[in-house]
Amino acid sequence: MDSVTISLLTVGAGDEVWSLYGHTAIRYRDRSTGADLAINYGAFSFEQPFFALRFVFGLTDYEMAIFPMSLFMQIYKDEEHRWVLQQDLNLTVQEKQKITNALYENYLPSNRTYRYNYFYDNCTTRARDIILLYLNNIRYNTNQQQVAPSYREMTHQWNENHRWMRFGNDLLLGIKADFPTTHIQRQFLPDSLRKDFESIHTVDENGKEIPLISKSFYLITPQEIENNATSSETITPRIVFVLLFVMILLLTALGWYKHCSLWILDTVLLTVTGLAGLVLFVMIFSKHPTVQINLQILLLNPLSLLFLYPTIKAERKSQCYFYWKILTVCLVLMLAGAIFQDYAEGIIFLALSLLIRCIGNMYHRNMMFNTKSCT
């Protein structure tokens, strides 16, 4: 194994939703045979049956793939235009042999496929585990952060310029995505693992600390690739929902002044939020633990579809259906829940917009029109 070098490869962020957070792979070189391989735990195919549906439910299978390093470089330099950083690992002969055997075992047809989970079991954590599992006496020589970031906060560092993608992620992520993470949990991100590898030391039999990284250098520098970073979108989710809030506030005030019903507006609001609520309801059954408990379902409420017809029917008769009371309670609980969960950008303004319509339907009709009480 003296002729073998094992390295960690970190790839910069791309522009596709699955590449925003970078990528990790392993490079295996054997100078005696000329083998130079890239080992990738992130292989998947959109041609898998029901790929999107399986991904949402946490049932997506990824594979370990091995291909020539030259092809790996071609993909990230010429096709995806992303930088690649290599960190050569300072390993003993025995450690290299154990890792080589483990890689071989992993690549057997019965072992190469695994159930992917973005936060807990992904291409980065797989590469980390196959390396660190066979090292002795690992020490992290780094200062621990006083305030541990959450999964949501860490992903926000990488999708700042893709606000609508971030909005979609935050809409699906629940309260567990806002819990503080441990040092090991933060290594799900390629760049976090890269930084941690710089701080790792192993301790030999004589008690001497040896840095895990012998040398670090770019294979593709950021200057070599095209500057394809997407600028932050001009029209952000917050702008859209603030404008929606202002519009609904003005329409509600106009409806009070003109003594007219806004049942068409309420139909649209209840239908759209109800349909979105069906998605959040389905996520309760997902295998992703961070999406199962989501307080945003109190706003994006599937009950709105169930009570849509009787609610609008009563409104057209200048009556107030009891669902407006139920929805008001849900919205107040959702707004209070912002203490515990970070909501998708601008979603608070959508909650306030719907709350205005609840108040308008409950009190305005009873006080101004002397209509029947909520039934």
Side-chain angles (χ1 to χ4, degrees):
M1 303 301 294
D2 287 335
S3 61
V4 171
T5 301
I6 298 176
S7 310
L8 185 77
L9 300 175
T10 304
V11 182
D15 277 335
E16 301 296 338
V17 65
W18 61 84
S19 65
L20 285 179
Y21 311 98
H23 183 51
T24 299
I26 296 172
R27 184 177 186 180
Y28 183 94
R29 290 172 295 165
D30 188 342
R31 292 183 298 276
S32 65
T33 63
D36 192 359
L37 304 173
I39 300 163
N40 176 17
Y41 283 93
F44 67 93
S45 173
F46 286 122
E47 295 180 359
Q48 295 180 36
F50 307 106
F51 178 87
L53 190 62
R54 290 173 62 88
F55 189 87
V56 167
F57 279 97
L59 301 174
T60 310
D61 290 331
Y62 274 43
E63 288 189 12
M64 174 190 183
I66 300 178
F67 43 86
M69 188 62 191
S70 58
L71 178 58
F72 182 91
M73 294 291 288
Q74 178 185 346
I75 290 173
Y76 288 110
K77 184 174 183 179
D78 299 332
E79 297 181 20
E80 299 195 14
H81 309 291
R82 297 160 66 183
W83 57 260
V84 178
L85 180 73
Q86 176 171 315
Q87 294 170 300
D88 290 344
L89 305 182
N90 203 357
L91 305 173
T92 66
V93 170
Q94 292 78 15
E95 289 168 341
K96 287 189 283 187
Q97 185 65 66
K98 290 178 181 179
I99 293 172
T100 300
N101 293 342
L103 290 171
Y104 177 82
E105 188 74 18
N106 265 206
Y107 197 60
L108 294 176
S110 58
N111 298 333
R112 68 179 61 162
T113 301
Y114 70 98
R115 183 55 48 84
Y116 176 87
N117 185 289
Y118 175 65
F119 289 132
Y120 303 111
D121 194 358
N122 63 19
C123 56
T124 299
T125 62
R126 287 266 163 169
R128 173 200 65 192
D129 293 344
I130 204 71
I131 293 171
L132 297 188
L133 182 62
Y134 300 100
L135 304 185
N136 296 321
N137 300 321
I138 298 174
R139 293 182 182 176
Y140 288 91
N141 293 348
T142 182
N143 295 325
Q144 298 295 321
Q145 301 182 41
Q146 293 182 350
V147 180
S150 65
Y151 283 121
R152 194 190 307 271
E153 289 170 336
M154 288 187 288
T155 57
H156 281 185
Q157 298 173 14
W158 294 90
N159 54 24
E160 176 63 29
N161 291 329
H162 300 78
R163 303 287 280 275
W164 285 101
M165 288 185 187
R166 186 172 77 176
F167 174 81
N169 289 340
D170 286 344
L171 207 59
L172 296 180
L173 289 175
I175 194 169
K176 290 184 178 180
D178 295 302
F179 292 170
T181 55
T182 65
H183 184 74
I184 298 300
Q185 286 175 328
R186 292 194 285 274
Q187 294 174 349
F188 81 98
L189 283 171
D191 201 57
S192 297
L193 183 65
R194 174 192 67 80
K195 293 176 181 177
D196 275 356
F197 265 42
E198 292 285 356
S199 69
I200 291 178
H201 287 66
T202 58
V203 182
D204 64 14
E205 56 187 12
N206 298 320
K208 180 181 178 182
E209 288 194 2
I210 302 172
L212 177 59
I213 304 301
S214 60
K215 59 180 177 178
S216 178
F217 54 92
Y218 281 104
L219 295 175
I220 304 174
T221 65
Q223 291 76 23
E224 287 184 67
I225 62 177
E226 296 178 8
N227 185 13
N228 63 333
T230 303
S231 59
S232 182
E233 290 104 343
T234 302
I235 302 177
T236 64
R238 180 173 286 106
I239 292 175
V240 170
F241 288 115
V242 167
L243 292 176
L244 178 66
F245 170 75
V246 172
M247 181 189 74
I248 289 178
L249 182 62
L250 294 176
L251 287 176
T252 301
L254 182 63
W256 289 357
Y257 179 74
K258 294 286 188 179
H259 293 185
C260 61
S261 172
L262 299 177
W263 66 269
I264 296 179
L265 173 63
D266 291 335
T267 300
V268 173
L269 285 174
L270 293 179
T271 301
V272 173
T273 56
L275 289 173
L278 287 180
V279 177
L280 297 190
F281 176 76
V282 167
M283 298 304 290
I284 295 174
F285 307 98
S286 172
K287 296 297 182 180
H288 294 297
T290 52
V291 304
Q292 293 170 348
I293 304 175
N294 191 341
L295 300 182
Q296 292 171 117
I297 199 172
L298 295 170
L299 162 64
L300 306 176
N301 200 322
L303 292 177
S304 294
L305 293 179
L306 181 63
F307 291 104
L308 176 63
Y309 177 75
T311 300
I312 300 303
K313 181 180 179 181
E315 184 175 350
R316 296 189 67 181
K317 295 179 179 180
S318 296
Q319 298 173 351
C320 182
Y321 198 65
F322 74 91
Y323 180 63
W324 290 115
K325 286 186 176 180
I326 296 177
L327 189 55
T328 299
V329 173
C330 290
L331 292 172
V332 171
L333 290 175
M334 181 262 185
L335 292 171
I339 300 173
F340 308 101
Q341 179 178 334
D342 288 337
Y343 297 143
E345 179 182 352
I347 207 72
I348 292 293
F349 290 98
L350 178 59
L352 293 174
S353 301
L354 200 52
L355 188 60
I356 288 173
R357 295 306 307 142
C358 290
I359 295 172
N361 281 284
M362 287 191 301
Y363 295 103
H364 178 65
R365 292 180 185 281
N366 294 331
M367 297 176 63
M368 299 298 295
F369 297 119
N370 194 27
T371 58
K372 296 180 181 179
S373 299
C374 289
T375 58

